[in-house]
Amino acid sequence: MNCFLLRSLLPLLTFSIAWATSAQANELDAPKEALETTIHELLEVLHADENKLPYSAKRNEIIEILNRQFSFDVIIQRALGRNWSKLNEAQKKQVFNLVTDLVLQAYTNELQDGPKPTLSFSNPEVLSKSKIEIDSVVLLNGTKINLSYRLANIKDRGWQVYDVLVEGVSMVSNYRKQFDEHFQRKSAADLIELLKNKLKEA
Amino acid sequence: MNFLIRLLAVVGSLTGLLISSSSLLAEDFIDFDDLIDFDEMVDNDSGAPEAEIADPFEGINRVIFSFNDGAYKKVIQPFTRQYVRIVPIEGRKGIANFFDNLGYPVRLAGSVLQLKLGRATQETGKFLVNTTAGMAGFMDAAQDFDGLNPEQEDIGQALGSWGLKHGFYIVLPLAGPSSLRDFVGRIGEGAVDPISEPWSQVDDSQARVALQAVDTVNDLPEIIDIYSSITNSAIDPYIAVRDGYAQLRAVQVSK
């Protein structure tokens, strides 16, 4: 009798385990799908016109799309690290806007000049309880580039990108090294001046 | 009957436990302030551990970097734009595959020196498939086989996996970033590379130079475009490239 009971409960147990495991997989499908949509929409905007409008003409549209899944405030504060506290409130706003424009402008020009890349996304990898990494392969001009997005489940925001890794190189960490070097010798005002000049040159 | 109740309780609690652990991710939010906490980010950011490189010759390196930067942007980039116009993408891919296939001895040496014999076998399989079915390497016939696309190894990575540190950062004229360790690795690679000296398989020196030139020129368009995006968006291009190199090599060594 007991053996019969055990046998009849076994499928229930198996089902419960399978259901719980798939629930976790589905849960991580949502940020992956959202990221894929965001990146595809971004590429649509970049390749929408044949005349290749400059970054300034597309800026608001690009930022609106990226804002859905990229927390630029987190990205920029992480990139500045301890140097962030050396800026006053007005400088923080200026640096935030200038760095965002500098990076987006450079990659907009690069991406829209070439053909539309093809993308493939891997399933998310769990980094910690509130962080995941989504790897992707970008095929651009016959060259494969490994691009990984790190996302955190931020309170009141949901899954948001806080770092992008190109071939394993963390962009946030790379910028932090540059800011550290800058602030060893120069000031926040110098940084703003430098960023403005770089934007004019580009 | 007691047994039945106990069994149901076990199944029930096990299911509950599994469900609660599965929803950990949905409920485990991180506060904004924790995400911008300095110690947290330093511990977790870098793509790989020990992505540091000493730079005692920064002064000289910066001079060579700025010479290279001028050469890349004023001479090489305009040249590669013409090259891309003349040689269609399929042709460039074929040339890239051909030289990639010839890089087999270097990757094999890198794998064997790290005792990664599985990877060495995969490299050999890839070389054989591409040399035969891939028409002397012009087509990457092996790319469709999962087991024939190993991570690429080189001798610098092997030295790194033996625990040898970079030594220090070097910017080579035109060739760009390297380190003492990776530069020594390159010299070792020269010995196993079929084209380059001292033990070249190509006897005619003009043909050898021409082959090396085609290999270099063919790789340039992609490298130069990535290089300009990095430097155009950098606060300090020299530091951006140095840290990028250190992180990239650390990731490659750790794989």
Side-chain angles (χ1 to χ4, degrees), chain B:
Chain B
M1 198 57 193
N2 262 351
F3 175 78
L4 177 66
I5 293 167
R6 252 182 282 151
L7 199 62
L8 277 173
V10 169
V11 171
S13 53
L14 206 61
T15 312
L17 193 73
L18 279 164
I19 292 167
S20 68
S21 77
S22 80
S23 53
L24 266 180
L25 279 160
E27 285 163 14
D28 264 309
F29 290 107
I30 183 163
D31 281 328
F32 177 84
D33 289 338
D34 291 335
L35 202 54
I36 53 165
D37 175 68
F38 186 72
D39 292 327
E40 190 274 342
M41 62 179 94
V42 168
D43 289 346
N44 298 307
D45 264 2
S46 80
E50 295 181 49
E52 295 289 334
I53 192 164
D55 193 6
F57 303 108
E58 187 176 333
I60 306 164
N61 280 341
R62 275 193 188 263
V63 172
I64 302 172
F65 179 85
S66 112
F67 164 78
N68 286 353
D69 192 62
Y72 296 158
K73 286 180 178 162
K74 294 197 177 81
V75 183
I76 296 174
Q77 196 163 33
F79 170 76
T80 59
R81 295 222 162 111
Q82 292 303 320
Y83 178 77
V84 167
R85 260 193 220 165
I86 299 163
V87 185
I89 183 153
E90 288 309 319
R92 275 183 284 136
K93 256 198 237 171
I95 294 170
N97 289 340
F98 175 74
F99 284 102
D100 189 57
N101 199 42
L102 287 186
Y104 159 68
V106 168
R107 294 191 298 271
L108 180 72
S111 303
V112 171
L113 289 174
Q114 295 178 72
L115 294 177
K116 291 179 177 169
L117 300 181
R119 216 163 268 189
T121 313
Q122 284 181 321
E123 278 291 354
T124 306
K126 183 179 176 177
F127 176 72
L128 291 174
V129 169
N130 281 348
T131 307
T132 51
M135 324 264 265
F138 279 100
M139 280 154 54
D140 188 2
Q143 69 178 342
D144 297 329
F145 299 97
D146 281 346
L148 293 182
N149 291 291
E151 295 282 349
Q152 299 204 346
E153 303 289 346
D154 59 48
I155 296 178
Q157 281 177 58
L159 297 176
S161 78
W162 294 351
L164 201 72
K165 303 269 182 245
H166 278 295
F168 49 83
Y169 184 59
I170 313 171
V171 181
L172 300 170
L174 295 176
S178 192
S179 69
L180 183 61
R181 180 192 75 199
D182 294 340
F183 186 62
V184 169
R186 277 190 185 201
I187 295 172
E189 281 159 18
V192 286
D193 184 59
I195 299 175
S196 68
E197 290 282 32
W199 291 293
S200 177
Q201 301 302 308
V202 184
D203 291 335
D204 183 56
S205 66
Q206 282 181 335
R208 189 163 57 235
V209 171
L211 273 171
Q212 283 174 320
V214 172
D215 183 18
T216 310
V217 165
N218 194 63
D219 278 347
L220 281 175
E222 280 76 31
I223 297 172
I224 283 289
D225 284 346
I226 294 171
Y227 171 83
S228 15
S229 299
I230 293 170
T231 50
N232 289 343
S233 61
I235 314 298
D236 183 337
Y238 175 80
I239 301 292
V241 172
R242 185 182 74 191
D243 174 68
Y245 183 74
Q247 282 198 56
L248 184 68
R249 293 302 282 170
V251 171
Q252 289 170 340
V253 167
S254 72
K255 277 185 182 167

Side-chain angles (χ1 to χ4, degrees), chain A residues 93-137:
Chain A
K93 268 187 197 157
Q94 262 184 305
V95 167
F96 177 85
N97 287 327
L98 290 167
V99 173
T100 307
D101 282 337
L102 184 68
V103 175
L104 292 184
Q105 178 171 285
Y107 289 93
T108 300
N109 292 345
E110 157 87 26
L111 281 169
Q112 70 177 8
D113 278 351
K116 205 170 174 180
T118 44
L119 312 170
S120 62
F121 290 82
S122 304
N123 284 329
E125 182 195 333
V126 177
L127 298 177
S128 70
K129 278 181 184 175
S130 55
K131 286 180 185 164
I132 55 171
E133 183 171 309
I134 299 175
D135 296 335
S136 74
V137 176

Side-chain angles (χ1 to χ4, degrees), chain A residues 2 28 87 106 116 123 139:
Chain A
N2 283 347
L28 291 179
L87 311 177
K116 205 170 174 180
N123 284 329
L139 196 63

